[in-house]
Amino acid sequence: ETDTRRIVGISVETRPDWIDEKEVKLFRELGVTKVQVGVQAFDEPILKRIKRGHTLDRVGEATRLLKDSGIKVCYHFMPNLPGSNPDLDLHMAHLMYEDIRFKPDFVKIYPAQVIAGTEMYREWERGEFEPYDDDLLKDVLKNIKKITPPFVRIDRLVRDISKKWVSAGTSATNMRQYIQQEMKQEGWSCKCIRCREAKSRDLVANPELRTLEIETLGGKEVLLTMESRDSTVLSEPGRVEGSILYSLLRLRLPTQAGLPTSRSTLFPELAGAAIIRELHTYGKTVVHDEKQSTKTQHRGLGKLLMAKAEELASSNGYHKIAVISSIGTRDYYRKLGYLREGFYMVKKLD
């Protein structure tokens, strides 16, 4: 908690049908704050064809359980699977982003690649499956980026697998770079979080606080962001009306009436609490005690978002608020009046 270098998050990967109450409890015991879920497809026939072994309802329930525990959710989504096509890939992306069962915080889009020794390889050898060529794949990925909502961060676009392993499917590991170039040429922008991050830019004076409400299974999510408009970046790829994203907070307001009993049984400290699932300030890393930097870190943006989240939680009838703090950030929340209860940092709202 007090080391010079501190862990501010732990991410693990698993399957949706492996996520249950016991597993989520283990996640928190280990300090996990983000779970990557191998969904692969949002279509029941495709899931059966690739023998994935889970249903979409199971994905939805796993997602609810994770979010109700404050954990951030990343989906792995694979366009170009056997049984799919470009139109179906786009339909599945709409379902992923719009169905209340899903709506991930992050997504890794991994188009299917044929690897020797797999059943997909044998299908490809028999001529039963043919992956998209790179031009068609770029069109599919661009169409998915066009509908990606501003509450999602596309962490990765195409998996970084060595060319020597790929028998068919794209081997262009920098596909995202090509897509960004074409976006700029075509004059459109992606709204995803990664495309709007401040990166190394200086903080402009008085960024604007924005609020986005998101309906989800088991409760409402509120995305709070600190953003600014800058005419100098209008022509850059991945910018929304010149928007630069400096900081964000994800607040979950769980359904209070008829809450699943598992939630209070798993984590009594969360009973009746609003939950802050993420607090993140983007930009160049700055030494923690450096307060004179022109960059975005340690400039009070996080504190402003925390205060707004507490105000929203209180106005929605919650009497306390909890943060899924990593071990390395507990001291930060203590300075804001939070105390440790179980696996969370909690503050009473009077």
Side-chain angles (χ1 to χ4, degrees), residues 243-270:
S243 170
I244 302 175
L245 175 61
Y246 295 106
S247 190
L248 69 75
L249 182 149
R250 297 184 193 271
L251 173 67
R252 183 164 181 81
L253 303 173
T255 304
Q256 302 216 57
L259 259 182
T261 56
S262 61
R263 192 163 166 268
S264 57
T265 302
L266 267 177
F267 306 111
E269 60 268 40
L270 294 184

Side-chain angles (χ1 to χ4, degrees), residues 146-261:
K146 284 178 181 178
I147 66 166
T148 300
F151 59 81
V152 173
R153 187 183 195 272
I154 300 179
D155 278 353
R156 289 188 185 172
L157 200 64
V158 177
R159 190 151 205 157
D160 188 1
I161 296 178
S162 173
K163 292 181 181 179
K164 67 181 181 181
W165 297 106
V166 180
S167 300
T170 186
S171 58
T173 56
N174 62 337
M175 177 72 74
R176 188 175 201 147
Q177 182 182 359
Y178 294 135
I179 289 174
Q180 293 280 28
Q181 291 171 351
E182 292 186 12
M183 286 165 52
K184 184 174 182 179
Q185 293 167 0
E186 295 165 10
W188 61 276
S189 300
C190 173
K191 296 192 292 289
C192 98
I193 289 167
R194 177 169 171 170
C195 284
R196 297 184 291 126
E197 291 169 7
K199 297 182 172 64
S200 61
R201 287 182 174 80
D202 289 347
L203 176 66
V204 301
N206 302 317
E208 178 184 343
L209 173 64
R210 300 181 188 175
T211 303
L212 176 64
E213 293 188 356
I214 308 151
E215 293 299 327
T216 68
L217 183 66
K220 180 171 69 176
E221 300 270 334
V222 183
L223 181 72
L224 301 174
T225 57
M226 299 297 293
E227 304 183 36
S228 70
R229 298 181 186 277
D230 186 344
S231 59
T232 63
V233 298
L234 282 172
S235 61
E236 293 187 13
R239 293 290 165 190
V240 182
E241 299 175 345
S243 170
I244 302 175
L245 175 61
Y246 295 106
S247 190
L248 69 75
L249 182 149
R250 297 184 193 271
L251 173 67
R252 183 164 181 81
L253 303 173
T255 304
Q256 302 216 57
L259 259 182
T261 56

Side-chain angles (χ1 to χ4, degrees), residues 37-297:
V37 186
V39 181
Q40 320 308 22
F42 292 83
D43 180 83
E44 300 287 7
I46 292 178
L47 290 175
K48 289 180 181 178
R49 175 168 175 177
I50 65 175
K51 302 178 183 178
R52 189 62 191 163
H54 63 76
T55 65
L56 288 181
D57 280 342
R58 193 68 188 84
V59 175
E61 179 56 22
T63 302
R64 181 201 64 78
L65 191 56
L66 292 171
K67 288 181 178 179
D68 273 351
S69 303
I71 295 172
K72 295 178 283 293
V73 179
C74 175
Y75 285 164
H76 291 191
F77 171 46
M78 299 186 75
N80 193 24
L81 281 167
S84 193
N85 57 64
D87 289 340
L88 183 51
D89 286 339
L90 186 59
H91 172 75
M92 289 193 288
H94 273 290
L95 194 67
M96 173 175 67
Y97 291 145
E98 297 166 10
D99 191 303
I100 65 168
R101 294 174 295 172
F102 310 128
K103 301 189 180 183
D105 308 306
F106 309 84
V107 63
K108 290 183 175 179
I109 302 176
Y110 289 149
Q113 294 166 292
V114 178
I115 310 297
T118 63
E119 189 162 339
M120 187 187 295
Y121 178 84
R122 291 186 285 275
E123 285 194 14
W124 171 71
E125 277 193 314
R126 295 192 298 265
E128 298 169 4
F129 170 61
E130 185 63 38
Y132 309 152
D133 62 33
D134 278 6
D135 287 338
L136 179 55
L137 179 59
K138 277 192 293 184
D139 287 341
V140 170
L141 296 178
K142 285 194 292 186
N143 286 334
I144 293 173
K145 280 181 73 67
K146 284 178 181 178
I147 66 166
T148 300
F151 59 81
V152 173
R153 187 183 195 272
I154 300 179
D155 278 353
R156 289 188 185 172
L157 200 64
V158 177
R159 190 151 205 157
D160 188 1
I161 296 178
S162 173
K163 292 181 181 179
K164 67 181 181 181
W165 297 106
V166 180
S167 300
T170 186
S171 58
T173 56
N174 62 337
M175 177 72 74
R176 188 175 201 147
Q177 182 182 359
Y178 294 135
I179 289 174
Q180 293 280 28
Q181 291 171 351
E182 292 186 12
M183 286 165 52
K184 184 174 182 179
Q185 293 167 0
E186 295 165 10
W188 61 276
S189 300
C190 173
K191 296 192 292 289
C192 98
I193 289 167
R194 177 169 171 170
C195 284
R196 297 184 291 126
E197 291 169 7
K199 297 182 172 64
S200 61
R201 287 182 174 80
D202 289 347
L203 176 66
V204 301
N206 302 317
E208 178 184 343
L209 173 64
R210 300 181 188 175
T211 303
L212 176 64
E213 293 188 356
I214 308 151
E215 293 299 327
T216 68
L217 183 66
K220 180 171 69 176
E221 300 270 334
V222 183
L223 181 72
L224 301 174
T225 57
M226 299 297 293
E227 304 183 36
S228 70
R229 298 181 186 277
D230 186 344
S231 59
T232 63
V233 298
L234 282 172
S235 61
E236 293 187 13
R239 293 290 165 190
V240 182
E241 299 175 345
S243 170
I244 302 175
L245 175 61
Y246 295 106
S247 190
L248 69 75
L249 182 149
R250 297 184 193 271
L251 173 67
R252 183 164 181 81
L253 303 173
T255 304
Q256 302 216 57
L259 259 182
T261 56
S262 61
R263 192 163 166 268
S264 57
T265 302
L266 267 177
F267 306 111
E269 60 268 40
L270 294 184
I275 309 166
I276 294 173
R277 300 194 301 113
E278 181 178 13
L279 177 65
H280 197 125
T281 295
Y282 298 96
K284 188 175 180 180
T285 302
V286 176
V287 176
H288 188 266
D289 58 2
E290 174 58 69
K291 304 300 182 183
Q292 305 304 315
S293 170
T294 60
K295 303 303 180 184
T296 57
Q297 298 282 334

